[in-house]
């Protein structure tokens, strides 16, 4: 089982990274692969209820690779972490198969509850460098998250999300409160006009995706014949 994991993981790196020239290079020189190997050890300890030792193992992995993965996070097969420095995957995050994550990606939680509070990432998803996916949201299969994007709402399958300029989310509060990652994700905290614009943008992106699917399927034109 361990041999199969290593073989398919190394093959995934060689397929998706043109800089990977040999199996030995990937095995010995890719911190993303090392971090996932350490995670498998830490998760085994976590499931055996050796939680403190599991956290120490994850801490050691972070010190060696620069990649922080909580022992309870669930990672799919053939995960590629490219470069990886500064990447964070939270406790209740779920990552599907054939996912590619670049450096400084954060799969973070915005709630202080002990339930599911981190993202669920579907299969064949690519998340670009510096992107932040926050909260108990789902990123659908085949989605693309551009570099430095901030995602706090569910992403439909096959959609590409890119970063936007910073906007005002709230215009002042009666008293300060704590927001994880400095990002208030409550509907009530978002500027109403900005919320409407983002809703229209999401609906337009979903409509474009549907039209693209119909076009690829060869759906006949709806325009009347002359």
């Amino acid at each position: 089982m361990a041999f199969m994991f290593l073989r398919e993981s190394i093959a995934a790196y060689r397929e998706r990274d043109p800089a990977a020239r040999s199996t030995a290079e990937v095995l010995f020189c890719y911190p993303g692969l090392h971090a996932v190997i350490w995670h498998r050890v830490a998760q085994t300890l976590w499931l055996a209820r050796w939680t403190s030792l599991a956290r120490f193992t994850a801490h050691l992995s972070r010190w060696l690779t620069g990649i922080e993965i909580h022992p309870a996070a669930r990672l799919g097969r053939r995960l590629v972490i490219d470069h990886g420095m500064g990447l964070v995957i939270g406790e209740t995050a779920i990552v599907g198969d054939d996912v590619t994550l670049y450096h400084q990606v954060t799969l973070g939680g915005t709630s202080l509850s002990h339930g599911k509070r981190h993202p669920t990432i579907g299969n064949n998803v690519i998340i670009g460098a510096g992107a932040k996916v926050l909260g108990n949201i789902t990123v659908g299969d085949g989605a693309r998250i551009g570099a430095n994007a901030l995602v706090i709402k569910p992403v439909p399958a096959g959609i590409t999300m890119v970063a936007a300029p910073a906007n005002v989310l709230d215009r002042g509060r009666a008293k300060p409160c704590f927001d994880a990652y400095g990002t208030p994700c409550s509907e009530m905290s978002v500027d109403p006009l900005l919320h409407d614009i983002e809703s229209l943008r999401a609906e337009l992106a979903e409509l474009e995706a549907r039209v693209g699917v119909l076009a690829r399927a060869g759906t006949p034109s709806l325009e009347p014949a002359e």
Side-chain angles (χ1 to χ4, degrees), residues 107-129:
L107 305 182
T110 56
S111 170
L112 298 181
S113 69
H114 293 286
K116 181 76 166 71
R117 61 189 187 279
H118 295 88
T120 296
I121 309 300
N123 300 327
N124 296 292
V125 172
I126 298 174
I127 303 182

Side-chain angles (χ1 to χ4, degrees), residues 79-182:
L79 169 64
V80 168
I81 300 176
D82 201 354
H83 303 295
M85 180 64 71
L87 181 142
V88 177
I89 300 178
E91 178 183 9
T92 62
I94 300 173
V95 179
D97 297 335
D98 302 297
V99 170
T100 302
L101 306 176
Y102 289 86
H103 51 286
Q104 296 184 335
V105 164
T106 298
L107 305 182
T110 56
S111 170
L112 298 181
S113 69
H114 293 286
K116 181 76 166 71
R117 61 189 187 279
H118 295 88
T120 296
I121 309 300
N123 300 327
N124 296 292
V125 172
I126 298 174
I127 303 182
K132 307 295 182 282
V133 185
L134 307 179
N136 182 18
I137 61 175
T138 298
V139 177
D141 294 348
R144 303 289 185 264
I145 308 297
N148 295 318
L150 172 62
V151 180
I152 58 175
K153 295 183 180 181
V155 179
I159 291 295
T160 298
M161 304 285 287
V162 296
N167 294 285
V168 174
L169 288 182
D170 51 8
R171 302 185 182 279
R173 298 176 177 178
K175 58 181 180 180
C177 64
F178 178 79
D179 291 315
Y181 294 95

Side-chain angles (χ1 to χ4, degrees), residues 42-51 54 71-72:
Q43 188 171 58
T44 299
L45 294 169
W46 183 270
L47 294 175
R49 300 187 181 279
W50 291 79
T51 54

